[in-house]
């Protein structure tokens, strides 16, 4: 049997995708260095703890498991941290990914789905954002991903590597059975912080700025359920298998919610108070980030099915509340 290699399969989006691919009947092998991932979130028996830049290890895995395609999540992903430590981000996300892709191609693996980000767009010139918008990242995280998208195109030209880059908007939510969810340490993402506040684990939620150019003054983001993201990856793999050309796709819903709308929905769903305080703007936050989603619908047949606010927050809440039991 052939298999799919998933790097970062112990992480938040990676573990949900591994589960989805296994449910579809694929054999899945996970490679993760467990720097930010969780061993308990790896749902396949085929697990390697190691580094994506270890060419000898990639060769061993590809040969042993007859890998035909890879999904590459393994990365550092905190925008704020990347502003403080740009070199760390460029090394982890760009240099190591370049070595990883090279090792794949060397071993004859010619299909790759890559975790990219809406941060490649920087400050959008048009909202909803189409994929052919200018890419001018305003933080090292976005730049580290954009470099790899460009490198993948070069590897297609040189070696016929077929790739899909999925530019995620704001991932959120947890699995329906509350088995896997979002756990970062330290936590910086809005929905987990809101729910930790609802649980009384934090005194209050800081709202980073209320003078943005949006209807209620707080930032608007396009939140996409992690189960929908998993589906997008499976569709991208299938498209490559079917011979679709390489390209980059937004993965979002096309609908934005403000920070205040998220807090209000969480108050309603959890029945908890959720105190908030107004805090200064966070560096590098654009007013509105919402995806144009026509391209992924047309080419991959993807539309978000679980990303309404109710499902997003309820699934995350079920996961967070059982953690605190
Ligand atoms: N945000 C906030 N308070 C927090 C964390 C986040 O107001 O404690 C805002 C943040 O400024 C952004 C939105 O919530 O506008 C989503 O932030 P998150 O870090 O979840 O995702 P990002 O958009 O950075 O990928």
């Amino acid at each position: 049997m052939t298999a799919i290699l998933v790097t970062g399969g112990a992480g938040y989006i990676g573990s949900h995708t591994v589960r989805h691919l296994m449910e579809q009947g694929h054999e899945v092998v996970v490679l993760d260095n467990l720097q930010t991932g969780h061993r308990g979130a790896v749902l396949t028996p085929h697990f390697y703890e190691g580094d994506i830049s270890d060419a000898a290890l990639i060769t061993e895995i590809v040969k042993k498991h007859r890998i035909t395609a890879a999904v590459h999540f393994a990365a550092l992903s905190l925008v704020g941290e990347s502003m403080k430590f740009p070199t760390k981000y460029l090394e982890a996300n760009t240099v190591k990914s370049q070595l990883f892709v090279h090792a794949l191609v060397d071993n004859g693996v010619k299909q790759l789905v890559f975790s990219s980000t809406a941060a490649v767009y920087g400050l959008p010139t048009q909202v909803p954002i189409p994929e052919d918008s200018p890419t001018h990242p305003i933080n090292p995280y976005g730049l580290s991903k954009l470099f790899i998208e460009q490198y993948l195109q070069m590897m297609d030209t040189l070696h016929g590597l077929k790739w899909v880059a999925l530019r995620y908007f704001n991932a959120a939510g947890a699995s329906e059975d509350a088995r896997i969810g979002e756990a970062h340490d330290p936590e910086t993402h809005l929905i987990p912080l809101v729910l930790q506040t609802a649980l009384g684990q934090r005194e209050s939620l800081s709202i980073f700025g209320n003078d943005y150019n949006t209807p209620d003054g707080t930032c608007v983001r396009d939140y996409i359920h992690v189960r929908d993201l998993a589906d997008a990856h499976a569709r991208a793999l299938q498209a490559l298998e079917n011979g679709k050309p390489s390209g980059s796709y937004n993965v979002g819903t096309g609908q934005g919610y403000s920070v205040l709308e998220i807090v209000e929905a969480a108050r309603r769903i959890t029945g908890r108070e959720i105190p908030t305080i107004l805090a200064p703007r966070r560096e590098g936050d654009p007013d509105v980030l919402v995806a144009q989603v026509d391209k992924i619908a047309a080419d991959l047949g993807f539309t978000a099915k679980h990303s309404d606010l109710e499902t997003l927050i309820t699934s995350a809440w079920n996961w967070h509340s059982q953690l605190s039991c």
Side-chain angles (χ1 to χ4, degrees):
M1 196 173 177
T2 59
I4 296 166
L5 172 59
V6 178
T7 73
Y12 173 44
I13 305 171
S15 60
H16 284 82
T17 302
V18 167
R19 179 183 201 161
H20 185 63
L21 292 172
M22 288 172 69
E23 283 167 1
Q24 288 190 327
H26 293 285
E27 186 87 344
V28 177
V29 179
V30 166
L31 170 63
D32 198 301
N33 66 6
L34 297 183
Q35 206 178 307
T36 54
H38 306 271
R39 179 65 183 88
V42 177
L43 302 177
T44 170
H46 309 300
F47 173 65
Y48 291 81
E49 183 175 344
D51 205 279
I52 55 166
S53 60
D54 183 344
L57 179 60
I58 305 301
T59 302
E60 181 195 327
I61 294 173
V62 169
K63 293 220 155 81
K64 182 166 175 212
H65 296 277
R66 302 180 56 218
I67 301 294
T68 53
V71 187
H72 177 32
F73 293 98
L76 299 176
S77 62
L78 299 178
V79 169
E81 189 188 43
S82 81
M83 301 286 282
K84 283 198 198 115
F85 306 108
T87 310
K88 179 175 166 187
Y89 269 68
L90 271 289
E91 261 171 32
N93 294 0
T94 307
V95 176
K96 286 192 176 184
S97 292
Q98 188 259 318
L99 293 170
F100 173 65
V101 173
H102 194 78
L104 286 181
V105 171
D106 261 358
N107 283 288
V109 180
K110 294 286 177 73
Q111 294 173 7
L112 178 73
V113 178
F114 175 60
S115 287
S116 189
T117 170
V120 299
Y121 297 115
L123 297 172
T125 49
Q126 184 186 339
V127 180
I129 310 170
E131 283 85 349
D132 57 4
S133 297
T135 44
H136 297 302
I138 55 168
N139 51 62
Y141 171 63
L143 183 65
S144 73
K145 293 286 184 174
L146 181 60
F147 277 149
I148 291 301
E149 286 199 24
Q150 292 174 343
Y151 179 69
L152 291 175
Q153 185 48 45
M154 186 54 67
M155 293 303 267
D156 187 346
T157 307
L158 297 178
H159 299 291
L161 171 75
K162 296 299 167 200
W163 58 275
V164 166
L166 296 176
R167 295 174 174 169
Y168 310 153
F169 281 66
N170 285 63
S175 66
E176 219 173 359
D177 61 2
R179 165 83 172 74
I180 40 180
E182 184 172 14
H184 300 102
D185 186 19
E187 189 54 76
T188 63
H189 292 104
L190 180 65
I191 291 179
L193 289 172
V194 167
L195 298 178
Q196 288 172 357
T197 312
L199 284 165
Q201 295 166 353
R202 292 172 190 272
E203 247 172 52
S204 59
L205 175 88
S206 297
I207 295 185
F208 295 149
N210 67 352
D211 57 354
Y212 284 95
N213 186 19
T214 61
D216 67 22
T218 63
C219 288
V220 170
R221 295 288 179 271
D222 184 336
Y223 294 90
I224 175 103
H225 198 294
V226 70
R227 286 170 67 196
D228 284 328
L229 278 173
D231 175 40
H233 288 81
R235 286 171 186 273
L237 278 170
Q238 190 59 52
L240 291 175
E241 183 66 33
N242 295 346
K244 281 244 184 213
S246 301
S248 301
Y249 293 91
N250 290 337
V251 200
T253 65
Q255 156 92 52
Y257 294 103
S258 73
V259 174
L260 286 181
E261 284 174 316
I262 296 287
V263 173
E264 272 314 317
R267 284 183 179 137
R268 184 167 44 74
I269 290 164
T270 64
R272 307 285 176 99
E273 218 174 291
I274 317 184
T276 58
I277 53 168
L278 183 59
R281 285 181 175 211
R282 192 174 65 176
E283 209 182 341
D285 265 341
D287 307 61
V288 180
L289 285 177
V290 174
Q292 196 174 103
V293 292
D294 309 33
K295 186 179 170 193
I296 194 164
D299 288 6
L300 305 187
F302 170 84
T303 50
K305 295 184 186 65
H306 307 286
S307 298
D308 57 287
L309 263 196
E310 194 77 24
T311 310
L312 269 176
I313 295 181
T314 304
S315 69
W317 175 239
N318 290 341
W319 188 74
H320 277 278
S321 25
Q322 55 100 43
L323 275 188
S324 71
C325 292

